[in-house]
Amino acid sequence: MTIVASGVMTLVDLNDAKQLMAYIGSSQQRQVIYNPNGGSYTPNYTTSNNVLTPQLFIAGKNTDIAAQAKSIKWFYQTNSSGAFTEITASDTNYTLGSTAPKTLTIKGNVLASANSITYMCEIIYTDTDTGYDVTTKAEYEIIKVTNGTNGQDAVRAIVWTPDGNITRNANGSVTATVDVYKGSSVVAGTAFKWYIQDPTATTSSGGDADGGAGWRLLNSTTNYGITGYTTKTITVPASAVQSVESFKCVVTYNNVKYNDVCTIIDVSDPIVVTIVGTNTFKNGQGSTTLTAKLFQAGAEIDTAGTAYAYKWSIYDSNNVKNSSFSKTGKTITASSSDINGRGNIVCDLDRS
């Protein structure tokens, strides 16, 4: 079985901090096309800056609280390897925002000597209920795609989301668009077909040969409220996104078909596991009854405890698992003998 969510409780803490989710929005697509015939970049970050904006949400809520962060730091990693380097000040490649939410503007062609760069945003937020500082991180990768050196040997389709790829709490919508590049120039496609990922779709049932198996063709009868599926840009309502959905576009240019994929995320769907019960013992005696409560989009779910399999574990202060403790169910009892001084009790959630 696959773990879909986990909850953790420290048995000596009296309060649990909020669960936070961080994302990075961008003003440009994450693929940069480099044309060695003339050394041009598309998009050219020196004239079309890519502004990265941190976004921070409390699980189950749709208010971006990044502006309330205690601190925001930016780091980068070259070619997806090695240590991250902090960006501490503005320079020729970056402008570091001075006020919250602290944006990072990429204003140089930073991929000149790299194939990819991963940016990490570290956000520290002070929980207003507990006074504790909570740290969360998000990553965003930009990739260089290099055309061939023999002429202008190369056509590519890129699907991207101009306004970000996140819907919140089943509200709003996201647009996805496809751009076709010949060399470093944008050219016009002549036909567009859009698909939503669906493992049950086949080329003869729900899909077609252009999309391939696992992709359901969007049309007048199957569209989930998505519009524009015969044009270069679709509008995807939040109701069409169940946690994470991928979309493919097959576009025709010069009688040849090209395709690419993008992913859209609904931040309202993650399941938050909250462990309820007394979390202290006295003098090594007694027991406590603990219940795992599940929340999704701000509402409690699975109150009967039948939709998921609940698996409990205990780890000591050195993060060593107590091999003799193994319990299942929505509600369990833990005794003082299960804890050596202090420890964390974890509830992992599997689909039943």
Side-chain angles (χ1 to χ4, degrees), residues 24 50-52 71-78 83-98 102-108 110 117-122 138 140 142:
I24 297 174
N50 192 355
V51 181
L52 305 185
S71 71
I72 297 176
K73 295 181 180 180
W74 286 95
F75 303 79
Y76 72 90
Q77 178 193 57
T78 303
F84 279 90
T85 301
E86 184 178 358
I87 302 171
T88 58
S90 300
D91 56 23
T92 56
N93 286 324
Y94 304 110
T95 295
L96 193 62
S98 58
K102 187 181 292 184
T103 60
L104 178 68
T105 300
I106 308 174
K107 60 182 182 180
V110 293
I117 294 180
T118 300
Y119 294 92
M120 180 178 69
C121 182
E122 179 186 270
Y140 174 89
I142 59 174

Side-chain angles (χ1 to χ4, degrees), residues 37-324:
N37 301 295
S40 63
Y41 294 86
T42 306
N44 185 339
Y45 286 164
T46 63
T47 55
S48 300
N49 299 163
N50 192 355
V51 181
L52 305 185
T53 302
Q55 300 172 324
L56 184 66
F57 300 89
I58 298 172
K61 297 185 178 181
N62 66 345
T63 302
D64 186 351
I65 59 172
Q68 303 172 30
K70 180 178 181 179
S71 71
I72 297 176
K73 295 181 180 180
W74 286 95
F75 303 79
Y76 72 90
Q77 178 193 57
T78 303
N79 291 328
S80 300
S81 63
F84 279 90
T85 301
E86 184 178 358
I87 302 171
T88 58
S90 300
D91 56 23
T92 56
N93 286 324
Y94 304 110
T95 295
L96 193 62
S98 58
T99 59
K102 187 181 292 184
T103 60
L104 178 68
T105 300
I106 308 174
K107 60 182 182 180
N109 289 317
V110 293
L111 292 174
S113 58
N115 293 319
S116 67
I117 294 180
T118 300
Y119 294 92
M120 180 178 69
C121 182
E122 179 186 270
I123 304 174
I124 299 178
Y125 172 79
T126 303
D127 189 315
T128 54
D129 292 332
T130 65
Y132 297 153
D133 286 344
V134 182
T135 301
T136 188
K137 300 177 181 179
E139 294 185 1
Y140 174 89
E141 183 183 40
I142 59 174
I143 301 171
K144 179 169 68 178
V145 178
T146 303
N147 286 327
T149 57
N150 296 319
Q152 297 290 323
D153 45 337
V155 178
R156 179 180 177 87
I158 295 178
V159 174
W160 63 299
T161 51
D163 301 315
N165 69 331
I166 296 171
T167 60
R168 304 177 181 92
N169 283 347
N171 293 316
S173 61
V174 169
T175 59
T177 190
V178 60
D179 288 329
V180 181
Y181 289 90
K182 183 177 181 181
S184 59
S185 301
V186 178
V187 295
T190 55
F192 305 87
K193 291 198 291 186
W194 288 87
Y195 305 78
I196 187 171
Q197 192 168 34
D198 183 348
T200 67
T202 66
T203 56
S204 59
S205 177
D208 60 18
D210 290 338
W215 293 96
R216 186 168 297 277
L217 178 65
L218 298 176
N219 51 42
S220 59
T221 57
T222 305
N223 54 57
Y224 310 98
I226 299 167
T227 57
Y229 42 78
T230 60
T231 70
K232 71 170 293 180
T233 301
I234 59 172
T235 300
V236 182
S239 57
V241 181
Q242 301 300 317
S243 294
V244 179
E245 297 287 355
S246 293
F247 297 87
K248 175 189 282 189
C249 182
V250 174
V251 54
T252 301
Y253 170 73
N254 200 21
N255 296 319
V256 179
K257 296 175 180 177
Y258 303 89
N259 70 84
D260 193 29
V261 175
C262 74
T263 298
I264 295 176
I265 302 168
D266 181 7
V267 301
S268 67
D269 283 340
I271 298 173
V272 178
V273 182
T274 299
I275 299 176
V276 178
T278 303
N279 57 353
T280 56
F281 301 107
K282 187 175 182 180
N283 297 328
Q285 297 181 2
S287 62
T288 183
T289 299
L290 304 175
T291 299
K293 288 192 173 184
L294 311 186
F295 296 88
Q296 191 173 41
E300 186 175 359
I301 62 172
D302 196 28
T303 56
T306 57
Y308 299 91
Y310 298 76
K311 298 183 178 181
W312 299 76
S313 305
I314 286 181
Y315 295 81
D316 66 15
S317 57
N318 295 316
N319 203 34
V320 177
K321 184 177 181 179
N322 182 346
S323 59
S324 63

